[in-house]
Amino acid sequence: MTSIKQFLCGTAVASMVAGTAAAVGTPMGLSRTADWWLAAEHVLLIGVDGTNLSKILEYAYNDDSGFKLAMDQGITGAATEVNHTTISGPSWSTILTGVWDDKHGVVNNLFRPEPYDKWPTVFNMLEYYKPEINTSVIADWDYINGIAGAGGHPVDNNVFVPFQDSWAATDAAVTAQTIAQILATADNPDDISNFLFSYQVQVDEAGHGFGGGSAEYAQAVVNVGANIKEILDAVAQVKALTGDDWSIIITTDHGHQQSLGFGHGFQSPNETTQFVIFDQAGHDATDGSQNLNYSIADITPTILALFGVPMRSDFDGSPMHLDPNIVDSTVVPDDLKQALLSAIAMYGYPNIGNDIMLGIRTIVTSIPYGLNLVVTEIDKFLQSIVDQDIFLISGVAEFLQQVVQFTGGLVVDTTDTLARGIAYLTGSGVIAPTDPPLPGGSEFTDPGLLGADHDFAAPELSLPDFDVA
């Protein structure tokens, strides 16, 4: 049965800062006036799961939202993944590898590390070509941490934020730790560059729990917009201190059906419509613009190009700031909101053959994932009885737990193998890489911090006051 490693969380973020041992909270020297200017390159990728652009424009296109702030400061593309699977695992794999599912072959949300050996992630590429870059991921879905830790050259700092009292509170913890790492770069005398991926999940959870047209979904979009604004404010505060600007990309993996049900996985425009917001550091002339040639497959090539890392020849995407076909598609609309709504309205369904084929793929590959959820819940229930240490009963529960783990794991693995075979027949993973795998491998900087026995508590964080005079 598929399992997920435990990752850094909570106070472990203290060791993540750029070449320092600063503790979480106010970084060293942050309150002083900067007397030096950094030459480091910093890139921030913010991922918001399952977020409809139309709902952002309806509920979070205002001055209190980081979505609007990012749109005002960058270029926004209403994108689509029509003809591709609208499931998180495959879509985030595209975002983090630069290739679509017909290449990487990821079909569902059961994590498997093998695809990223053939198709290296943005973390693998950065760590191989420029290991001096400090790479980090802060996420509250462990699948993202799995991707970041896969491949021969994994991410430096892999921070998993466990569930808090609610998904909104969990995303708030992700936001706090993201801000802590950004602020810590204000004390960076060695000019260490940073790539940070910050991932939030509450919008998708609200969609699955209440539907994409619900008040709960709308509130989650508002919440994440507020979180993003806090993050962007932290970037601005560090820039005021050091002169260091960050290139920022904000995106989603898929949309959501409006009614309560399956949520996503099929080819309706509500599910296939995505967005990419790109604000390149030092480029303000195109602020508030629109580009309909952006794609989630462009994100990894763009990040690599910003750091000067070589491109793979088999990428599906291109650097958004270098490819003339993309750059020349940037326009300045009179009304960005209306222009984006008009773009969304253009997107439709694929041809009926592809629609049926991808629907079959989603249904078949969701079976092992659903079985895994059932097995996991049974395992948790039995573990709760084991933990009570009830005479005789806990022993029986422990025995049943072993039976469930063995038989359940066998069933899940078998059905997943069959599902991936059927997915291959529908076009998943049929295109092999033309570039060779990255040579060699690397370990984490401090393997002791990433052991399975660590359990760090997330600290309470607040933004300090800044004196930039």
Side-chain angles (χ1 to χ4, degrees), residues 185-451:
T185 65
D187 191 77
N188 186 15
D190 295 325
D191 289 353
I192 295 175
S193 296
N194 286 270
F195 169 57
L196 170 59
F197 176 28
S198 178
Y199 166 92
Q200 303 192 25
V201 75
Q202 67 175 292
V203 178
D204 188 64
E205 294 291 345
H208 284 295
F210 303 96
S214 66
E216 290 83 359
Y217 186 90
Q219 184 60 55
V221 171
V222 172
N223 293 345
V224 171
N227 291 346
I228 293 174
K229 188 172 188 302
E230 291 183 21
I231 293 171
L232 298 183
D233 286 346
V235 170
Q237 289 167 348
V238 170
K239 180 182 178 182
L241 280 171
T242 67
D244 246 5
D245 201 358
W246 289 62
S247 293
I248 298 169
I249 302 173
I250 305 175
T251 194
T252 191
D253 53 338
H254 54 71
H256 242 282
Q257 297 174 359
Q258 297 305 286
S259 59
L260 180 61
F262 206 89
H264 54 86
F266 300 98
Q267 292 292 297
S268 72
N270 276 325
E271 297 165 87
T272 58
T273 300
Q274 303 164 318
F275 65 87
V276 178
I277 305 171
F278 178 38
D279 177 17
Q280 184 181 359
H283 290 254
D284 301 329
T286 53
D287 287 358
S289 298
Q290 179 188 32
N291 192 312
L292 298 187
N293 267 356
Y294 283 178
S295 154
I296 62 169
D298 297 326
I299 291 174
T300 281
T302 299
I303 294 167
L304 297 179
L306 289 169
F307 284 110
V309 169
M311 296 289 107
R312 288 178 62 93
S313 66
D314 48 12
F315 275 144
D316 287 325
S318 299
M320 293 182 285
H321 59 303
L322 297 179
D323 187 331
N325 293 325
I326 300 177
V327 174
D328 293 344
S329 298
T330 300
V331 297
V332 182
D334 294 331
D335 185 333
L336 178 60
K337 178 179 179 179
Q338 186 55 52
L340 291 171
L341 289 171
S342 298
I344 294 170
M346 294 190 307
Y347 296 134
Y349 288 81
N351 66 63
I352 190 168
N354 286 353
D355 197 2
I356 293 173
M357 177 187 67
L358 290 168
I360 292 172
R361 183 193 300 176
T362 290
I363 292 171
V364 170
T365 58
S366 295
I367 293 172
Y369 178 67
L371 290 172
N372 188 65
L373 291 177
V374 172
V375 171
T376 300
E377 288 304 311
I378 294 174
D379 183 70
K380 288 180 180 178
F381 172 72
L382 292 172
Q383 184 61 48
S384 69
I385 299 176
V386 173
D387 292 341
Q388 296 178 53
D389 197 21
I390 304 171
F391 176 70
L392 189 61
I393 295 177
S394 290
V396 173
E398 186 173 12
F399 171 75
L400 291 175
Q401 187 180 39
Q402 294 174 357
V403 173
V404 168
Q405 289 174 348
F406 176 78
T407 58
L410 183 62
V411 169
V412 169
D413 288 344
T414 301
T415 55
D416 190 46
T417 299
L418 292 173
R420 284 188 282 112
I422 295 173
Y424 181 85
L425 296 177
T426 65
S428 174
V430 296
I431 302 176
T434 57
D435 288 16
L438 293 178
S442 63
E443 300 297 328
F444 293 102
T445 303
D446 187 351
L449 286 175
L450 294 175

Side-chain angles (χ1 to χ4, degrees), residues 28-206:
M28 294 184 296
L30 197 56
S31 61
R32 62 176 171 81
T33 301
D35 55 4
W36 42 268
W37 296 84
L38 299 178
E41 182 77 47
H42 302 299
V43 179
L44 170 64
L45 171 61
I46 300 176
V48 291
D49 205 296
T51 306
N52 285 98
L53 177 58
S54 61
K55 298 302 180 182
I56 293 174
L57 297 173
E58 183 175 359
Y59 297 110
Y61 192 74
N62 54 64
D63 292 340
D64 294 327
S65 176
F67 286 118
K68 185 176 187 299
L69 179 59
M71 291 179 187
D72 289 344
Q73 295 179 348
I75 305 171
T76 305
T80 180
E81 64 173 344
V82 69
N83 289 313
H84 298 283
T85 302
T86 57
I87 293 177
S88 292
S91 296
W92 286 115
S93 295
T94 294
I95 291 168
L96 296 174
T97 63
V99 299
W100 289 104
D101 47 6
D102 55 358
K103 291 184 178 178
H104 61 60
V106 178
V107 297
N108 57 24
N109 292 344
L110 286 176
F111 177 73
R112 297 171 54 252
E114 293 84 2
Y116 313 104
D117 293 328
K118 293 181 178 179
W119 300 99
T121 67
V122 62
F123 303 104
N124 301 150
M125 297 285 284
L126 291 175
E127 290 296 332
Y128 175 72
Y129 285 103
K130 291 197 172 182
E132 68 274 14
I133 295 173
N134 185 48
T135 59
S136 304
V137 60
I138 303 173
D140 47 11
W141 183 34
D142 51 13
Y143 193 105
I144 299 297
N145 300 97
I147 295 176
H153 305 269
V155 67
D156 287 325
N157 311 291
N158 205 342
V159 181
F160 172 62
V161 177
F163 180 75
Q164 314 283 308
D165 295 331
S166 66
W167 285 115
T170 310
D171 277 357
V174 170
T175 300
Q177 296 201 41
T178 300
I179 290 171
Q181 183 166 349
I182 292 169
L183 297 183
T185 65
D187 191 77
N188 186 15
D190 295 325
D191 289 353
I192 295 175
S193 296
N194 286 270
F195 169 57
L196 170 59
F197 176 28
S198 178
Y199 166 92
Q200 303 192 25
V201 75
Q202 67 175 292
V203 178
D204 188 64
E205 294 291 345

